[in-house]
Amino acid sequence: MMHFSQVVLVPGDPILGLMEAFRADPRPGKLDLGVGVYKDPQGITPVLASVKQAERRLLASETSKSYIGGHGDPLFAQRLTQLVLATDSPLIATQRAAATQTPGGTGALRLAADFIGHCLPGKGIWLSDPTWPIHQTLFAEAGLAVNHYPYVNADNCLDVEALLETLGRVPHGDVVLLHACCHNPSGFDLSQADWRRVLAVVQARELLPLIDFAYQGFGDGLEADAWAVRLFAETLPEVLITSSCSKNFGLYRERTGALIVCASSLERLSAVRSQLALIARNLWSTPPAHGAAVVAQILEDVELKNLWITEVDAMRQRIAALRLGLLEALAPHGLAERFAHLATQRGMFSYTGLSPAQVLRLREDSGVYLVGDGRANVAGLAEARLGDLARALAQVCN
Ligand code: PMP
């Protein structure tokens, strides 16, 4: 009997497939704006200097490779919670918030999904349209009913009114996933006034917010980007936050993140955490240690932390400069207005508003690789190539 004869071949992940197609493309002038990683002017996704220093210290001081507990490294959990909620957060002072270390932000989302599925049965989840495609498949895999609220309209603009109108009709008590900053894939973020309006609807309909915080430091700064997260955590009795250290610490492959739970009392928090440990035990048992140990070292040491902040600031400022640089390069082609959103969008991505056919033409004619929905990873650009990209865009837009 051939057991595997019944297994059908499925297409791979489109974004990772794009990476492979890019590698196989022999054209020297090709440009990879697909997968969401930051690249320096040399096209390299660097190991941060603060991370290298922390790793050197760890190598010298580490004495054991024994398992870490189900919630992970306690120092990492404590320091990351402070980074997200603020060191002087009233939630931390009253022991109403704590983090469970997970394999990256994806692991945190999966843990949250299984927690909702196991412990809060019947709750649907509401995702922005568009959103990071894995949100869709991950929550469906966990057995949750997945629904959408509008976010970007047909003119490629943020549509807050449509968002609020739909949230106002969401069944009482459902879960709503919100991108804390640097919305993936659109790059459009809510203003503080918008966030307050979303908060009012969340309160009125008693929704449970699940805030995906994958880009702290890449929007307006480490503190500024946490503004909405902190507003929600301090106003609402219960909030779930998924935090990723992939981008801001450049630890992508080390799989470092956390699910932060904010609850109304220590007792409730402990009950939730007991469930999380049980669920995690059946998913990955205990989380990988290295990335979290690096983050803990950095956040614990004033000198290393300051170096890291400088590095995050530099990455953010460079991405912002690339956005403006691309806009400038597009102006001579008469496309400044068409791409004006580049300047207002935040984070690594820009929703270009290009159609799938235009994305395909860009790839075939110019070797420029974008995700099919028109998302461009601006953080993957090199200053020296902005003119080439503007020319390629002009070819498909004009
Ligand atoms: N959420 C969003 C919105 C993301 O863009 C990503 C990374 N692409 C993640 C979560 C997951 O990040 P990680 O690599 O840490 O799993």
Short mmCIF file of all heavy atoms in Angstrom, two decimals, residues 36 103-109 131-132 135 177 179 181-185 212-215 242-247 252 255-257 349 375, ligand 1:
data_model
loop_
_atom_site.label_atom_id
_atom_site.label_comp_id
_atom_site.label_asym_id
_atom_site.label_seq_id
_atom_site.Cartn_x
_atom_site.Cartn_y
_atom_site.Cartn_z
N GLY A 36 8.91 40.28 3.49
CA GLY A 36 9.06 41.41 4.40
C GLY A 36 10.28 41.34 5.30
O GLY A 36 10.16 41.04 6.48
N PRO A 103 7.37 31.02 19.61
CA PRO A 103 8.23 31.06 18.43
C PRO A 103 7.75 32.15 17.46
O PRO A 103 6.84 31.93 16.65
CB PRO A 103 8.06 29.66 17.80
CG PRO A 103 7.39 28.82 18.84
CD PRO A 103 6.58 29.77 19.67
N GLY A 104 8.27 33.33 17.60
CA GLY A 104 7.92 34.46 16.75
C GLY A 104 6.52 34.98 16.98
O GLY A 104 5.77 34.47 17.84
N GLY A 105 6.18 36.01 16.21
CA GLY A 105 4.82 36.56 16.28
C GLY A 105 3.80 35.54 15.77
O GLY A 105 2.67 35.48 16.25
N THR A 106 4.21 34.73 14.80
CA THR A 106 3.30 33.71 14.26
C THR A 106 2.92 32.72 15.36
O THR A 106 1.75 32.33 15.47
CB THR A 106 3.97 32.94 13.10
OG1 THR A 106 4.51 33.90 12.18
CG2 THR A 106 2.99 32.07 12.36
N GLY A 107 3.90 32.32 16.15
CA GLY A 107 3.62 31.41 17.27
C GLY A 107 2.65 32.04 18.26
O GLY A 107 1.74 31.38 18.78
N ALA A 108 2.82 33.34 18.51
CA ALA A 108 1.93 34.04 19.44
C ALA A 108 0.50 34.07 18.89
O ALA A 108 -0.47 33.88 19.62
CB ALA A 108 2.44 35.46 19.67
N LEU A 109 0.40 34.28 17.58
CA LEU A 109 -0.94 34.31 16.95
C LEU A 109 -1.58 32.93 17.03
O LEU A 109 -2.76 32.79 17.31
CB LEU A 109 -0.82 34.77 15.49
CG LEU A 109 -0.54 36.26 15.31
CD1 LEU A 109 -0.02 36.54 13.91
CD2 LEU A 109 -1.80 37.08 15.57
N THR A 131 -5.37 41.90 4.88
CA THR A 131 -4.50 41.68 6.03
C THR A 131 -3.36 40.78 5.62
O THR A 131 -3.28 40.33 4.46
CB THR A 131 -5.29 41.10 7.22
OG1 THR A 131 -4.50 41.21 8.41
CG2 THR A 131 -5.65 39.62 7.02
N TRP A 132 -2.43 40.53 6.53
CA TRP A 132 -1.35 39.56 6.29
C TRP A 132 -2.02 38.21 6.01
O TRP A 132 -2.84 37.77 6.83
CB TRP A 132 -0.47 39.51 7.54
CG TRP A 132 0.71 38.62 7.45
CD1 TRP A 132 1.61 38.53 6.42
CD2 TRP A 132 1.16 37.70 8.46
NE1 TRP A 132 2.58 37.61 6.72
CE2 TRP A 132 2.33 37.09 7.96
CE3 TRP A 132 0.70 37.34 9.72
CZ2 TRP A 132 3.03 36.14 8.69
CZ3 TRP A 132 1.40 36.40 10.45
CH2 TRP A 132 2.55 35.80 9.93
N HIS A 135 -2.83 35.50 8.63
CA HIS A 135 -3.91 35.68 9.62
C HIS A 135 -5.11 34.82 9.23
O HIS A 135 -5.69 34.11 10.03
CB HIS A 135 -4.38 37.14 9.67
CG HIS A 135 -3.45 38.04 10.42
ND1 HIS A 135 -3.33 39.37 10.12
CD2 HIS A 135 -2.62 37.82 11.47
CE1 HIS A 135 -2.45 39.93 10.93
NE2 HIS A 135 -2.00 39.01 11.76
N LEU A 177 -9.13 41.49 15.39
CA LEU A 177 -7.67 41.61 15.26
C LEU A 177 -7.34 42.98 14.68
O LEU A 177 -7.87 43.36 13.63
CB LEU A 177 -7.11 40.50 14.36
CG LEU A 177 -5.57 40.46 14.34
CD1 LEU A 177 -5.07 39.03 14.30
CD2 LEU A 177 -4.97 41.24 13.20
N HIS A 179 -4.07 45.76 13.76
CA HIS A 179 -2.62 45.91 13.58
C HIS A 179 -2.20 47.15 14.38
O HIS A 179 -2.68 48.26 14.10
CB HIS A 179 -2.27 46.13 12.11
CG HIS A 179 -2.62 44.98 11.20
ND1 HIS A 179 -1.72 44.46 10.31
CD2 HIS A 179 -3.75 44.27 11.05
CE1 HIS A 179 -2.29 43.46 9.63
NE2 HIS A 179 -3.53 43.34 10.07
N CYS A 181 0.52 48.96 14.44
CA CYS A 181 1.14 49.98 13.60
C CYS A 181 1.69 49.28 12.36
O CYS A 181 1.79 48.06 12.32
CB CYS A 181 2.28 50.70 14.33
SG CYS A 181 3.69 49.64 14.68
N CYS A 182 2.05 50.08 11.35
CA CYS A 182 2.67 49.54 10.13
C CYS A 182 1.84 48.40 9.55
O CYS A 182 2.31 47.28 9.35
CB CYS A 182 4.09 49.03 10.42
SG CYS A 182 5.14 50.22 11.23
N HIS A 183 0.57 48.71 9.28
CA HIS A 183 -0.37 47.70 8.79
C HIS A 183 0.22 46.91 7.61
O HIS A 183 0.72 47.50 6.65
CB HIS A 183 -1.67 48.39 8.36
CG HIS A 183 -2.74 47.45 7.90
ND1 HIS A 183 -2.85 47.06 6.59
CD2 HIS A 183 -3.72 46.80 8.58
CE1 HIS A 183 -3.89 46.22 6.48
NE2 HIS A 183 -4.42 46.05 7.67
N ASN A 184 0.15 45.60 7.73
CA ASN A 184 0.62 44.70 6.67
C ASN A 184 -0.60 44.10 5.98
O ASN A 184 -1.39 43.44 6.64
CB ASN A 184 1.49 43.59 7.28
CG ASN A 184 2.00 42.61 6.25
OD1 ASN A 184 1.80 42.79 5.05
ND2 ASN A 184 2.68 41.58 6.70
N PRO A 185 -0.83 44.31 4.70
CA PRO A 185 0.12 44.78 3.69
C PRO A 185 0.00 46.26 3.32
O PRO A 185 0.80 46.73 2.51
CB PRO A 185 -0.32 43.97 2.47
CG PRO A 185 -1.81 43.89 2.60
CD PRO A 185 -2.07 43.79 4.08
N ASP A 212 -2.05 42.81 16.99
CA ASP A 212 -0.84 42.24 16.40
C ASP A 212 0.21 43.35 16.32
O ASP A 212 0.05 44.32 15.58
CB ASP A 212 -1.17 41.67 15.01
CG ASP A 212 0.02 40.90 14.43
OD1 ASP A 212 1.12 41.00 14.98
OD2 ASP A 212 -0.18 40.21 13.41
N PHE A 213 1.29 43.16 17.08
CA PHE A 213 2.32 44.19 17.20
C PHE A 213 3.63 43.61 16.65
O PHE A 213 4.49 43.17 17.40
CB PHE A 213 2.46 44.54 18.69
CG PHE A 213 3.02 45.91 18.97
CD1 PHE A 213 3.24 46.83 17.97
CD2 PHE A 213 3.32 46.28 20.28
CE1 PHE A 213 3.75 48.09 18.25
CE2 PHE A 213 3.82 47.53 20.57
CZ PHE A 213 4.05 48.44 19.57
N ALA A 214 3.73 43.60 15.32
CA ALA A 214 4.88 42.94 14.68
C ALA A 214 5.97 43.94 14.28
O ALA A 214 7.04 43.53 13.87
CB ALA A 214 4.42 42.16 13.45
N TYR A 215 5.68 45.24 14.39
CA TYR A 215 6.61 46.24 13.84
C TYR A 215 6.89 47.39 14.81
O TYR A 215 7.04 48.54 14.38
CB TYR A 215 6.05 46.79 12.52
CG TYR A 215 5.89 45.71 11.47
CD1 TYR A 215 4.67 45.05 11.29
CD2 TYR A 215 6.97 45.31 10.70
CE1 TYR A 215 4.53 44.03 10.36
CE2 TYR A 215 6.84 44.30 9.75
CZ TYR A 215 5.61 43.67 9.59
OH TYR A 215 5.49 42.66 8.65
N THR A 242 -0.02 40.27 20.52
CA THR A 242 1.07 39.42 20.02
C THR A 242 2.23 40.33 19.62
O THR A 242 2.05 41.27 18.87
CB THR A 242 0.62 38.58 18.80
OG1 THR A 242 0.14 39.46 17.78
CG2 THR A 242 -0.50 37.61 19.18
N SER A 243 3.38 40.03 20.18
CA SER A 243 4.56 40.86 19.92
C SER A 243 5.62 40.03 19.20
O SER A 243 5.85 38.87 19.56
CB SER A 243 5.10 41.37 21.27
OG SER A 243 6.39 41.88 21.11
N SER A 244 6.23 40.62 18.19
CA SER A 244 7.27 39.91 17.44
C SER A 244 8.60 40.66 17.56
O SER A 244 8.63 41.89 17.46
CB SER A 244 6.87 39.84 15.96
OG SER A 244 7.98 39.45 15.17
N CYS A 245 9.68 39.92 17.74
CA CYS A 245 11.02 40.54 17.78
C CYS A 245 11.75 40.30 16.46
O CYS A 245 12.96 40.53 16.36
CB CYS A 245 11.83 39.96 18.93
SG CYS A 245 11.04 40.17 20.54
N SER A 246 11.01 39.81 15.46
CA SER A 246 11.65 39.47 14.19
C SER A 246 12.22 40.69 13.49
O SER A 246 13.36 40.69 13.04
CB SER A 246 10.64 38.77 13.27
OG SER A 246 10.19 37.59 13.87
N LYS A 247 11.41 41.75 13.41
CA LYS A 247 11.83 42.92 12.63
C LYS A 247 12.68 43.86 13.46
O LYS A 247 13.76 44.27 13.04
CB LYS A 247 10.61 43.68 12.10
CG LYS A 247 9.52 42.79 11.51
CD LYS A 247 9.91 42.19 10.18
CE LYS A 247 9.22 40.87 9.94
NZ LYS A 247 8.05 40.81 9.18
N TYR A 252 14.69 37.47 12.87
CA TYR A 252 13.73 36.69 12.07
C TYR A 252 13.80 35.17 12.31
O TYR A 252 12.85 34.55 12.75
CB TYR A 252 13.92 36.96 10.59
CG TYR A 252 13.92 38.42 10.20
CD1 TYR A 252 15.08 39.19 10.30
CD2 TYR A 252 12.77 39.03 9.74
CE1 TYR A 252 15.08 40.53 9.94
CE2 TYR A 252 12.77 40.37 9.36
CZ TYR A 252 13.92 41.11 9.48
OH TYR A 252 13.93 42.43 9.12
N ARG A 255 13.09 33.05 15.71
CA ARG A 255 11.72 32.79 16.13
C ARG A 255 11.47 33.26 17.56
O ARG A 255 11.35 32.47 18.50
CB ARG A 255 11.37 31.29 15.96
CG ARG A 255 11.73 30.68 14.63
CD ARG A 255 11.23 31.49 13.43
NE ARG A 255 9.78 31.63 13.42
CZ ARG A 255 9.16 32.81 13.25
NH1 ARG A 255 9.86 33.92 13.08
NH2 ARG A 255 7.88 32.89 13.26
N THR A 256 11.39 34.58 17.69
CA THR A 256 11.28 35.20 19.01
C THR A 256 10.07 36.12 19.07
O THR A 256 9.96 37.06 18.28
CB THR A 256 12.57 36.02 19.29
OG1 THR A 256 13.69 35.20 19.02
CG2 THR A 256 12.62 36.49 20.74
N GLY A 257 9.18 35.84 20.00
CA GLY A 257 7.98 36.66 20.16
C GLY A 257 7.28 36.30 21.44
O GLY A 257 7.79 35.52 22.25
N PHE A 349 6.00 48.23 4.42
CA PHE A 349 5.24 47.94 3.20
C PHE A 349 4.52 49.14 2.62
O PHE A 349 4.15 50.06 3.34
CB PHE A 349 4.23 46.84 3.45
CG PHE A 349 4.85 45.60 3.99
CD1 PHE A 349 4.55 45.13 5.26
CD2 PHE A 349 5.80 44.91 3.24
CE1 PHE A 349 5.15 44.00 5.76
CE2 PHE A 349 6.42 43.79 3.74
CZ PHE A 349 6.09 43.33 5.00
N ARG A 375 1.59 44.60 -2.98
CA ARG A 375 2.36 45.03 -1.81
C ARG A 375 3.84 45.08 -2.17
O ARG A 375 4.38 44.11 -2.70
CB ARG A 375 2.15 44.05 -0.65
CG ARG A 375 2.86 44.50 0.61
CD ARG A 375 2.89 43.39 1.65
NE ARG A 375 4.03 42.51 1.48
CZ ARG A 375 4.39 41.56 2.35
NH1 ARG A 375 3.66 41.37 3.42
NH2 ARG A 375 5.44 40.80 2.13
N1 PMP B 1 2.03 39.70 12.06
C1 PMP B 1 2.27 40.44 10.98
C2 PMP B 1 1.32 41.53 10.61
C3 PMP B 1 3.41 40.21 10.22
O1 PMP B 1 3.64 40.95 9.14
C4 PMP B 1 4.30 39.18 10.61
C5 PMP B 1 5.55 38.90 9.84
N2 PMP B 1 5.48 38.97 8.49
C6 PMP B 1 3.99 38.43 11.74
C7 PMP B 1 2.86 38.73 12.45
C8 PMP B 1 4.83 37.28 12.21
O2 PMP B 1 6.13 37.56 12.48
P1 PMP B 1 7.17 36.45 12.90
O3 PMP B 1 8.16 36.37 11.79
O4 PMP B 1 7.74 36.97 14.18
O5 PMP B 1 6.46 35.16 13.10
#
